[in-house]
Amino acid sequence: MDSKNILVVGGGCGGLELVVGLSKKLKNNPEYNVILVDREKTHIWKPIIHEVAAGSMYPHSEQLDYLHLANKYKFKFILGSFVSCNDVSKTIHLSAKLNAENEVIIPERTIPYDILIMAIGSTSNSFNTKGVEDFTFSLDDLPTAEKFHSVFLDKIMQKEHLVDNHEPFTISI
């Protein structure tokens, strides 16, 4: 008898807690494979991303490595970005994964499932407010928080060093 794939797409708080819980519950049951799919290699708890943006926390000390967690709790981790789902063939399609040099390190692929749970989370909603997308940072992920912190430090250094051409800046929350 083939094992059934329980596929969880999204390794945020909900998805990660679910795969760990399922893995603990099903650890002695060979009928099921618990699989986590996420576009990132690590998890960071979203409510602390503002601390990264402010510079009061070093993000890498708070990240959880999915491969380590998969090994510890006996689930499988697949790195990839969700593209689509085919509910007839019971598969999901993942895009190719590129490295920093834009080289394909993992080709696009299709993953079969028996049970699919979408735990993709959410992002900030600007409600189409004019200017929000062009002039603000939505702290939805680690790269954006790190970019905000870098821009913030640049602005402070310009002011600190009395650079004549620095533009005034405002921070609104």
PDB file of all heavy atoms in Angstrom, residues 46 122-129 132-133 136 138-140:
ATOM      1  N   LYS A  46       6.512  36.305  11.989  1.00  0.00           N
ATOM      2  CA  LYS A  46       6.140  37.581  11.363  1.00  0.00           C
ATOM      3  C   LYS A  46       5.958  38.737  12.363  1.00  0.00           C
ATOM      4  O   LYS A  46       6.345  39.867  12.059  1.00  0.00           O
ATOM      5  CB  LYS A  46       4.884  37.392  10.514  1.00  0.00           C
ATOM      6  CG  LYS A  46       4.610  38.541   9.584  1.00  0.00           C
ATOM      7  CD  LYS A  46       3.495  38.205   8.612  1.00  0.00           C
ATOM      8  CE  LYS A  46       3.222  39.338   7.677  1.00  0.00           C
ATOM      9  NZ  LYS A  46       2.189  39.015   6.700  1.00  0.00           N
ATOM     10  N   SER A 122      -0.884  35.789   4.820  1.00  0.00           N
ATOM     11  CA  SER A 122      -1.472  37.011   4.274  1.00  0.00           C
ATOM     12  C   SER A 122      -0.395  38.080   4.116  1.00  0.00           C
ATOM     13  O   SER A 122       0.713  37.941   4.620  1.00  0.00           O
ATOM     14  CB  SER A 122      -2.572  37.527   5.210  1.00  0.00           C
ATOM     15  OG  SER A 122      -2.005  37.897   6.450  1.00  0.00           O
ATOM     16  N   THR A 123      -0.760  39.137   3.417  1.00  0.00           N
ATOM     17  CA  THR A 123       0.112  40.294   3.277  1.00  0.00           C
ATOM     18  C   THR A 123      -0.710  41.546   3.573  1.00  0.00           C
ATOM     19  O   THR A 123      -1.936  41.511   3.579  1.00  0.00           O
ATOM     20  CB  THR A 123       0.710  40.393   1.857  1.00  0.00           C
ATOM     21  OG1 THR A 123      -0.356  40.427   0.909  1.00  0.00           O
ATOM     22  CG2 THR A 123       1.633  39.221   1.553  1.00  0.00           C
ATOM     23  N   SER A 124      -0.017  42.648   3.769  1.00  0.00           N
ATOM     24  CA  SER A 124      -0.689  43.911   4.055  1.00  0.00           C
ATOM     25  C   SER A 124      -1.560  44.332   2.879  1.00  0.00           C
ATOM     26  O   SER A 124      -1.222  44.075   1.727  1.00  0.00           O
ATOM     27  CB  SER A 124       0.335  45.014   4.322  1.00  0.00           C
ATOM     28  OG  SER A 124       1.135  44.683   5.426  1.00  0.00           O
ATOM     29  N   ASN A 125      -2.654  44.992   3.181  1.00  0.00           N
ATOM     30  CA  ASN A 125      -3.579  45.466   2.154  1.00  0.00           C
ATOM     31  C   ASN A 125      -3.601  46.990   2.199  1.00  0.00           C
ATOM     32  O   ASN A 125      -3.923  47.586   3.225  1.00  0.00           O
ATOM     33  CB  ASN A 125      -4.983  44.909   2.412  1.00  0.00           C
ATOM     34  CG  ASN A 125      -5.936  45.189   1.287  1.00  0.00           C
ATOM     35  OD1 ASN A 125      -5.725  46.071   0.462  1.00  0.00           O
ATOM     36  ND2 ASN A 125      -7.011  44.424   1.257  1.00  0.00           N
ATOM     37  N   SER A 126      -3.282  47.602   1.081  1.00  0.00           N
ATOM     38  CA  SER A 126      -3.281  49.066   1.016  1.00  0.00           C
ATOM     39  C   SER A 126      -4.657  49.619   0.648  1.00  0.00           C
ATOM     40  O   SER A 126      -4.853  50.826   0.642  1.00  0.00           O
ATOM     41  CB  SER A 126      -2.265  49.544  -0.023  1.00  0.00           C
ATOM     42  OG  SER A 126      -2.680  49.174  -1.324  1.00  0.00           O
ATOM     43  N   PHE A 127      -5.596  48.736   0.327  1.00  0.00           N
ATOM     44  CA  PHE A 127      -6.951  49.141  -0.068  1.00  0.00           C
ATOM     45  C   PHE A 127      -6.925  50.174  -1.188  1.00  0.00           C
ATOM     46  O   PHE A 127      -7.721  51.087  -1.233  1.00  0.00           O
ATOM     47  CB  PHE A 127      -7.738  49.652   1.140  1.00  0.00           C
ATOM     48  CG  PHE A 127      -7.871  48.611   2.215  1.00  0.00           C
ATOM     49  CD1 PHE A 127      -7.071  48.654   3.347  1.00  0.00           C
ATOM     50  CD2 PHE A 127      -8.782  47.576   2.087  1.00  0.00           C
ATOM     51  CE1 PHE A 127      -7.188  47.695   4.335  1.00  0.00           C
ATOM     52  CE2 PHE A 127      -8.903  46.603   3.064  1.00  0.00           C
ATOM     53  CZ  PHE A 127      -8.107  46.659   4.194  1.00  0.00           C
ATOM     54  N   ASN A 128      -5.931  50.022  -2.098  1.00  0.00           N
ATOM     55  CA  ASN A 128      -5.774  50.901  -3.259  1.00  0.00           C
ATOM     56  C   ASN A 128      -5.612  52.374  -2.894  1.00  0.00           C
ATOM     57  O   ASN A 128      -5.975  53.263  -3.669  1.00  0.00           O
ATOM     58  CB  ASN A 128      -6.932  50.719  -4.248  1.00  0.00           C
ATOM     59  CG  ASN A 128      -6.969  49.324  -4.820  1.00  0.00           C
ATOM     60  OD1 ASN A 128      -5.925  48.766  -5.142  1.00  0.00           O
ATOM     61  ND2 ASN A 128      -8.156  48.757  -4.933  1.00  0.00           N
ATOM     62  N   THR A 129      -5.080  52.639  -1.710  1.00  0.00           N
ATOM     63  CA  THR A 129      -4.837  54.018  -1.297  1.00  0.00           C
ATOM     64  C   THR A 129      -3.693  54.596  -2.134  1.00  0.00           C
ATOM     65  O   THR A 129      -2.595  54.028  -2.159  1.00  0.00           O
ATOM     66  CB  THR A 129      -4.486  54.087   0.203  1.00  0.00           C
ATOM     67  OG1 THR A 129      -5.535  53.467   0.946  1.00  0.00           O
ATOM     68  CG2 THR A 129      -4.279  55.518   0.652  1.00  0.00           C
ATOM     69  N   VAL A 132       0.468  54.593  -1.491  1.00  0.00           N
ATOM     70  CA  VAL A 132       0.950  53.603  -0.522  1.00  0.00           C
ATOM     71  C   VAL A 132       1.983  52.676  -1.156  1.00  0.00           C
ATOM     72  O   VAL A 132       3.058  52.447  -0.600  1.00  0.00           O
ATOM     73  CB  VAL A 132      -0.211  52.796   0.096  1.00  0.00           C
ATOM     74  CG1 VAL A 132       0.300  51.599   0.881  1.00  0.00           C
ATOM     75  CG2 VAL A 132      -1.052  53.691   0.989  1.00  0.00           C
ATOM     76  N   GLU A 133       1.665  52.133  -2.315  1.00  0.00           N
ATOM     77  CA  GLU A 133       2.583  51.188  -2.966  1.00  0.00           C
ATOM     78  C   GLU A 133       3.900  51.850  -3.370  1.00  0.00           C
ATOM     79  O   GLU A 133       4.949  51.211  -3.354  1.00  0.00           O
ATOM     80  CB  GLU A 133       1.911  50.544  -4.189  1.00  0.00           C
ATOM     81  CG  GLU A 133       0.611  49.829  -3.899  1.00  0.00           C
ATOM     82  CD  GLU A 133       0.760  48.649  -2.943  1.00  0.00           C
ATOM     83  OE1 GLU A 133       1.806  47.955  -2.996  1.00  0.00           O
ATOM     84  OE2 GLU A 133      -0.167  48.439  -2.148  1.00  0.00           O
ATOM     85  N   THR A 136       5.778  53.606   0.542  1.00  0.00           N
ATOM     86  CA  THR A 136       5.835  52.967   1.856  1.00  0.00           C
ATOM     87  C   THR A 136       6.454  51.582   1.772  1.00  0.00           C
ATOM     88  O   THR A 136       6.623  51.009   0.697  1.00  0.00           O
ATOM     89  CB  THR A 136       4.427  52.824   2.473  1.00  0.00           C
ATOM     90  OG1 THR A 136       3.669  51.891   1.699  1.00  0.00           O
ATOM     91  CG2 THR A 136       3.708  54.155   2.554  1.00  0.00           C
ATOM     92  N   SER A 138       5.731  47.816   3.315  1.00  0.00           N
ATOM     93  CA  SER A 138       4.839  46.930   4.067  1.00  0.00           C
ATOM     94  C   SER A 138       5.708  45.828   4.646  1.00  0.00           C
ATOM     95  O   SER A 138       6.356  45.087   3.904  1.00  0.00           O
ATOM     96  CB  SER A 138       3.778  46.324   3.151  1.00  0.00           C
ATOM     97  OG  SER A 138       2.894  47.325   2.701  1.00  0.00           O
ATOM     98  N   LEU A 139       5.746  45.729   5.939  1.00  0.00           N
ATOM     99  CA  LEU A 139       6.642  44.777   6.595  1.00  0.00           C
ATOM    100  C   LEU A 139       6.012  43.385   6.632  1.00  0.00           C
ATOM    101  O   LEU A 139       5.584  42.899   7.669  1.00  0.00           O
ATOM    102  CB  LEU A 139       7.001  45.273   7.999  1.00  0.00           C
ATOM    103  CG  LEU A 139       7.719  46.615   8.037  1.00  0.00           C
ATOM    104  CD1 LEU A 139       8.046  47.017   9.459  1.00  0.00           C
ATOM    105  CD2 LEU A 139       8.983  46.574   7.189  1.00  0.00           C
ATOM    106  N   ASP A 140       5.994  42.750   5.473  1.00  0.00           N
ATOM    107  CA  ASP A 140       5.403  41.420   5.333  1.00  0.00           C
ATOM    108  C   ASP A 140       6.436  40.308   5.293  1.00  0.00           C
ATOM    109  O   ASP A 140       6.093  39.142   5.439  1.00  0.00           O
ATOM    110  CB  ASP A 140       4.567  41.351   4.051  1.00  0.00           C
ATOM    111  CG  ASP A 140       3.280  42.141   4.151  1.00  0.00           C
ATOM    112  OD1 ASP A 140       2.648  42.095   5.219  1.00  0.00           O
ATOM    113  OD2 ASP A 140       2.917  42.810   3.173  1.00  0.00           O
TER     114      ASP A 140
END
